[in-house]
Amino acid sequence: MDLSYSPEEQAFRAEVRDFLETRLPKEMAAKVRQGHDHLSKADMEAWHAILNEKGWLAQNWPREFGGAEWNAVQRHIFEEEAARANAPRIVPFGLSMLAPVLMKFGSKEQQDHYLPRILDGTDWWCQGYSEPGAGSDLASLKTKAERHGDHYIVNGQKTWTTLGQYANWIFCLVRTDPTAKQQEGISFLLIDMDTPGIEVRPIILLDGTHEVNEVWFTDVKVPVANLVGEENKGWTYAKYLLTHERTNIAGVGFSQAGLEQVKRIARAERANGRPLIENPHFAARMAQVEIDLMALATSNLRIVSKAAAGGAPGIEASMLKVKGTVIRQEINDLARRAVGPYAMPFPSEAVEGDNDPIGPDYAGPLAAQYFNYRKLSIFGGSNEVQRNIIAQTLMGGRR
Amino acid sequence: MNFDLTEERQMLQDTLRRFLRDRYTTEERNRILNSDAGFSADIWAQLAELGVLGALFIETQGGFGGAGFDIAVVFEELGRAGVVEPVMDSAVLGGRLLAAAGRTDLVEEVIAGAAHLALAHGEPVSRYDLTHVETRLTADGGDLILSGRKAVVVNAEAAGHLIVSARESGGAADADGISLVLVPADVAGLTLRGYPMLSGGRAAEVTLDDVRLPASARLGDAGQGWALLSDTIALAHVALAAEALGAMESAVKLTIDYLGTRQQFGRPIGTFQALQHRVADMLIELEQARSAVIFAAGHLDGDTRTRDRHIAAARHLIGRVGRLVAEESIQMHGGIAMTQEYELAHIAKRIVMTDHRFGDTDYHLERFIALSAA
Ligand SMILES: Cc1cc2nc3c(=O)[nH]c(=O)nc-3n(C[C@H](O)[C@H](O)[C@H](O)COP(=O)(O)OP(=O)(O)OC[C@H]3O[C@@H](n4cnc5c(N)ncnc54)[C@H](O)[C@@H]3O)c2cc1C
Ligand SMILES: Cc1cc2nc3c(=O)[nH]c(=O)nc-3n(C[C@H](O)[C@H](O)[C@H](O)COP(=O)(O)OP(=O)(O)OC[C@H]3O[C@@H](n4cnc5c(N)ncnc54)[C@H](O)[C@@H]3O)c2cc1C
């Protein structure tokens, strides 16, 4: 047991910090600091390019594919420092969802073609898993792909497709054998979003943002070469992807940055003539979250180092997901509370053509964000589904 | 003891509920939310016609209700339907304050649906501290001069008059020395910066720059506005609590309905005990919230301290339960509840955002502790 960072790890942290100080554009950090985490496509692409130039974009990829091949501690350090510096988050769909699947199950041609394009930003991927009738019960998905010679013809609908409006490619789970048992008739297909027959329709979320979409497929022709691995084995690949989706699921860095933001606000706000941070009720709420977060950060390190040493990330990933999202949501609740009556304005519309903040400059997006972040416990496998995984793994029994 | 509504209140509840169910559909409200005015003049006129506004005033004020239970009945229904029209601002905060100050002319117009009002009390740094008033009122010959800033003034843009609190004497946080003045919206020196609110409706930042008013603009005596103000805000607390209760009832009903129809894993998700128990907990808490509204409304006419202690208790409890119900309802719906178009999204915002008006859960807990001590 040794909780201290090695000299190499400390040097790495210094390097990361220096990089962030010199290369993270100030305007970008300011936007993130303000809580505008709906950055423009250009902002996100620019940040990817900066990281890629340094070789730090694909942090968990092996070196042979152009990755940084960081270990768990390095990733943790970067995550902490990036959040502290208000760096934008890395868009995960290509880098940490699709890429691991291609590396493990894709053909050599697919790897050579797609992986470099993820790194250099040529392709923006989105995730086509969920359907209107297939949420938690993903295996009930209906979008079907019928083989006609060297093409599949795809028909159906995906939904909740995050940032699908920016994507030029989508990786999809499709049903290729309607007669097989649910999980056994699914394939993993790569689809060019420019193919005729694809329509992307926006879904506006409750905070007024456009971050998810419906994606409709009508007789969409997809070359058989775009099949990943074997036909009808897609469920295996999908589950493999989900274990990667769950790395960094604890979101410790985000929570740490969020808590710092709450503290900044609580120092600036006054309640009954004193700084809010001295208000016993508010201070107690903050302290409780901070204590939970300290424990989570340690759990996260414990679990990810075990995984790095070869232990499979099993139910621990589910545990990190549940606790991590609950903590992040609690921090968002604190931020909303902290600004008092100035949580009421709805700035996303109000700031149009008028950039003066309403009330203190930090207040703007906080209440809207509180609502937006309810998504954290719904997507990526809802917290109920995670609890089912934990309970069923330990105790068996029916769902 | 009798926990039944009187016949009149039962009728009021039935009429209002029916009207809102028929007219205030999700589509209609989404249209209203996207409109420039932020509320519907048509709905407003009909609320007046149905007697909903009159029910919020006592007989001597030109109304036919006005007790805590009348306010609770009306606001529970407004909350249930997620109504964004400014009943709170024009009728309760504005109308009841003017009525208590004896300005019956304007009150008649409010009850008829012909006038809108806004209470401009909170300031950029006052947060929930109701006695914190820095806006100044000074005498100048026979006139009064008003200067200062008011924050998040709900309904300010629609209001023909604003009721503004201002300090004539005392320190920034003293209850003594606060005066109230009635300010026509078109007076020179008054500027508004309007914006929509997250849970619907509109508010504005108000700047008062040497606004000149006749001495008759003052409501009540110089420096003695606090009693009027705190009595009116007590009414608003009951209204807010009841509104949140109505909205919570909607949220729970939507959730139960959805759990019965949404299928995953080949059966309705409502058959999963993990969700059933949470619905049961929401129902238990909802009964607690209902009782809190009842005890707050029932003590509205008691002595100030008893009244305020029950109000603090109710708003604390409802703040707590409201968050639970809003978050659990969204969670148990899954993704669908995250979409702007879905009824629950708006209802959940109404519930949570009541906690930002006149004190949040923590503020009311502190008040309860203070009022319970000694
Ligand atoms: C903002 C956002 C972004 C998203 N981005 C993407 C994306 O990019 N790509 C993509 O494919 N998908 C995406 N999703 C979809 C997401 O993965 C689903 O919302 C999620 O899987 C839940 O499905 P559902 O919404 O249909 O809810 P449902 O599955 O209908 O669940 C409703 C409720 O029932 C509960 N429940 C379901 N089954 C059980 C059970 N057996 N036991 C107990 N409780 C249960 C759930 O936990 C939930 O509380 C996104 C969703 C959101 C909200
Ligand atoms: C101090 C004390 C006094 C008592 N006095 C009396 C008395 O005067 N007369 C009398 O007749 N009995 C009495 N009881 C017995 C009491 O009614 C039982 O303990 C009770 O019914 C629970 O039964 P059990 O202890 O066998 O637990 P179990 O029924 O075995 O339950 C174990 C756990 O499983 C949970 N559980 C069980 N079924 C479900 C389900 N379907 N879904 C979810 N969770 C479930 C339970 O809630 C509990 O947490 C008393 C018990 C105690 C502890």
Side-chain angles (χ1 to χ4, degrees):
Chain A
M1 212 49 87
D2 180 6
L3 296 185
S4 55
Y5 288 101
S6 69
E8 298 78 52
E9 286 161 352
Q10 287 173 32
F12 177 72
R13 186 183 288 277
E15 190 190 355
V16 170
R17 200 171 281 190
D18 179 62
F19 168 79
L20 289 165
E21 253 162 44
T22 51
R23 299 302 314 280
L24 172 64
K26 298 282 173 283
E27 325 78 63
M28 217 183 262
K31 278 194 209 173
V32 175
R33 187 172 189 266
Q34 292 274 316
H36 294 288
D37 62 352
H38 299 102
L39 294 179
S40 68
K41 185 185 187 196
D43 278 335
M44 290 186 265
E45 286 176 335
W47 180 234
H48 275 212
I50 292 166
L51 285 169
N52 190 39
E53 198 191 318
K54 173 82 178 168
W56 285 1
L57 180 60
Q59 304 173 350
N60 53 348
W61 292 18
R63 291 229 169 75
E64 50 166 317
F65 292 113
E69 210 174 319
W70 284 347
N71 63 28
V73 176
Q74 286 176 304
R75 288 211 302 272
H76 175 79
I77 289 172
F78 182 86
E79 195 199 329
E80 257 186 7
E81 292 299 324
R84 233 176 60 114
N86 296 299
R89 68 171 202 147
I90 297 174
V91 184
F93 307 106
L95 280 158
S96 47
M97 294 188 187
L98 177 64
V101 171
L102 289 182
M103 289 174 200
K104 193 160 167 79
F105 304 105
S107 65
K108 176 88 176 55
E109 295 72 45
Q110 287 172 336
Q111 293 171 352
D112 290 346
H113 180 72
Y114 293 110
L115 294 178
R117 292 162 63 99
I118 292 175
L119 284 183
D120 69 18
T122 310
D123 293 336
W124 184 304
W125 287 89
C126 61
Q127 181 187 24
Y129 274 28
S130 304
E131 297 180 3
S136 299
D137 184 12
L138 185 58
S140 69
L141 62 93
K142 291 202 173 70
T143 297
K144 64 169 193 243
E146 281 171 331
R147 181 105 184 231
H148 292 267
D150 57 358
H151 280 87
Y152 289 105
I153 303 293
V154 178
N155 279 288
Q157 188 206 336
K158 295 292 173 183
T159 192
W160 307 122
T161 319
T162 299
L163 300 184
Q165 72 268 37
Y166 297 158
N168 58 333
W169 281 84
I170 182 169
F171 55 89
C172 282
L173 293 181
V174 292
R175 189 158 298 286
T176 35
D177 183 355
T179 61
K181 263 181 61 193
Q182 270 194 348
Q183 280 86 344
E184 286 160 17
I186 294 171
S187 297
F188 196 108
L189 213 51
L190 311 176
I191 304 179
D192 183 340
M193 298 279 279
D194 289 332
T195 321
I198 297 183
E199 195 196 336
V200 179
R201 299 182 194 162
I203 299 174
I204 304 302
L205 293 184
L206 79 178
D207 61 336
T209 55
H210 174 200
E211 63 179 67
V212 298
N213 304 273
E214 298 176 346
V215 182
W216 295 72
F217 300 86
T218 314
D219 293 332
V220 175
K221 252 178 108 176
V222 181
V224 169
N226 290 14
L227 175 74
V228 175
E230 290 175 52
E231 198 173 85
N232 297 328
K233 290 279 161 56
W235 189 249
T236 314
Y237 315 150
K239 281 201 306 196
Y240 180 77
L241 181 154
L242 285 176
T243 63
H244 279 266
E245 186 176 356
R246 287 182 198 139
T247 53
N248 193 16
I249 199 81
V252 169
F254 294 121
S255 284
Q256 286 169 338
L259 193 59
E260 282 312 308
Q261 185 194 21
V262 170
K263 286 182 184 174
R264 271 200 307 274
I265 296 171
R267 274 184 219 109
E269 286 284 316
R270 297 182 77 78
N272 301 319
R274 304 206 358 232
L276 179 63
I277 201 161
E278 292 172 18
N279 176 281
H281 291 101
F282 197 81
R285 282 182 191 275
M286 279 199 320
Q288 277 165 6
V289 178
E290 186 161 3
I291 291 165
D292 278 343
L293 182 53
M294 285 164 68
L296 180 73
T298 305
S299 302
N300 189 46
L301 271 174
R302 266 196 308 126
I303 292 165
V304 290
S305 0
K306 192 170 99 185
I315 57 171
E316 287 93 347
S318 294
M319 293 179 175
L320 291 177
K321 203 270 170 167
V322 172
K323 200 69 208 175
T325 53
V326 168
I327 288 175
R328 271 181 86 185
Q329 290 176 333
E330 193 62 34
I331 290 168
N332 279 286
D333 178 71
L334 282 179
R336 162 181 73 76
R337 270 173 211 285
V339 293
Y342 275 120
M344 290 161 68
F346 187 27
S348 73
E349 290 176 44
V351 291
E352 260 173 42
D354 177 0
N355 282 318
D356 262 2
I358 297 154
D361 60 1
Y362 48 72
L366 294 176
Q369 210 170 67
Y370 158 83
F371 286 103
N372 181 280
Y373 279 12
R374 299 316 304 171
K375 71 188 175 190
L376 298 178
S377 48
I378 295 173
F379 66 24
S382 75
N383 283 13
E384 289 73 27
V385 166
Q386 306 294 346
R387 290 187 182 98
N388 284 347
I389 292 171
I390 295 166
Q392 281 156 21
T393 306
L394 291 175
M395 302 189 283
R398 64 186 190 126
R399 258 194 282 263
Chain B
M1 290 267 161
N2 175 4
F3 289 102
D4 297 332
L5 290 179
T6 60
E7 214 173 295
E8 292 79 15
R9 289 185 184 129
Q10 188 64 59
M11 262 175 59
L12 175 65
Q13 184 181 61
D14 293 345
T15 311
L16 183 53
R17 189 178 295 184
R18 210 173 314 118
F19 167 70
L20 293 173
R21 193 177 44 213
D22 295 347
R23 286 293 319 276
Y24 215 77
T25 57
T26 309
E27 299 72 48
E28 171 70 0
R29 193 190 45 240
N30 284 343
R31 201 187 55 70
I32 294 171
L33 285 171
N34 289 326
S35 67
D36 288 342
F39 73 90
S40 155
D42 182 36
I43 296 284
W44 186 257
Q46 296 194 52
L47 288 174
E49 202 171 303
L50 287 174
V52 172
L53 303 179
L56 300 169
F57 293 82
I58 57 179
E59 264 176 56
T60 54
Q61 297 169 338
F64 43 86
F69 291 117
D70 299 300
I71 294 174
V73 163
V74 168
F75 276 86
E76 185 181 345
E77 295 314 313
L78 297 175
R80 189 188 311 282
V83 170
V84 299
E85 278 61 26
V87 182
M88 173 75 74
D89 306 281
S90 290
V92 179
L93 290 167
R96 285 298 297 264
L97 196 151
L98 284 188
R103 302 296 284 256
T104 43
D105 48 333
L106 257 178
V107 173
E108 262 172 48
E109 284 185 49
V110 169
I111 293 175
H116 277 289
L117 298 170
L119 174 65
H121 177 49
E123 300 189 354
V125 298
S126 66
R127 197 179 176 83
Y128 301 130
D129 190 352
L130 290 177
T131 59
H132 188 112
V133 175
E134 293 183 32
T135 296
R136 310 291 314 184
L137 187 67
T138 46
D140 182 51
D143 289 345
L144 297 170
I145 307 291
L146 179 66
S147 275
R149 286 186 60 197
K150 294 291 178 180
V152 200
V153 180
V154 181
N155 203 36
E157 295 163 306
H161 288 84
L162 283 76
I163 298 159
V164 181
S165 60
R167 186 159 293 287
E168 279 197 88
S169 59
D174 291 348
D176 261 1
I178 298 172
S179 293
L180 296 169
V181 282
L182 185 63
V183 181
D186 58 2
V187 74
L190 180 150
T191 43
L192 303 183
R193 179 167 173 232
Y195 45 81
M197 290 187 293
L198 186 61
S199 58
R202 292 181 64 84
E205 299 301 283
V206 178
T207 308
L208 302 148
D209 198 3
D210 286 331
V211 172
R212 182 170 288 275
L213 300 163
S216 61
R218 199 195 275 113
L219 303 167
D221 294 332
Q224 298 302 303
W226 173 244
L228 265 181
L229 203 51
S230 57
D231 286 351
T232 307
I233 291 173
L235 302 171
H237 281 309
V238 170
L240 281 165
E243 185 183 351
L245 171 66
M248 285 191 260
E249 284 167 338
S250 273
V252 172
K253 181 173 186 308
L254 285 165
T255 305
I256 291 174
D257 290 350
Y258 191 75
L259 261 57
T261 50
R262 171 69 169 171
Q263 301 260 344
Q264 289 288 277
F265 303 102
R267 51 184 171 137
I269 56 174
T271 58
F272 297 120
Q273 199 180 47
L275 304 185
Q276 288 174 345
H277 281 193
R278 286 156 67 181
V279 171
D281 280 339
M282 288 206 296
L283 288 167
I284 293 167
E285 295 299 332
L286 201 53
E287 287 308 308
Q288 290 283 91
R290 170 171 298 288
S291 291
V293 170
I294 290 171
F295 70 56
H299 286 93
L300 201 47
D301 297 326
D303 67 276
T304 310
R305 185 195 170 87
T306 309
R307 175 192 79 185
D308 288 350
R309 188 166 169 277
H310 282 89
I311 283 172
R315 294 247 17 230
H316 170 73
L317 188 142
I318 280 173
R320 211 155 28 87
V321 175
R323 182 183 170 204
L324 174 94
V325 168
E327 293 182 355
E328 286 285 79
S329 296
I330 292 175
Q331 181 65 27
M332 288 192 267
H333 270 82
I336 182 81
M338 293 294 300
T339 61
Q340 192 171 52
E341 281 191 352
Y342 188 63
E343 177 73 7
L344 178 64
H346 174 73
I347 294 290
K349 283 187 259 180
R350 294 296 292 181
I351 296 171
V352 172
M353 296 316 286
T354 53
D355 211 38
H356 290 267
R357 256 199 127 174
F358 302 120
D360 66 5
T361 318
D362 288 353
Y363 169 87
H364 288 292
L365 184 63
E366 282 165 21
R367 237 166 87 81
F368 182 81
I369 293 169
L371 289 161
S372 303

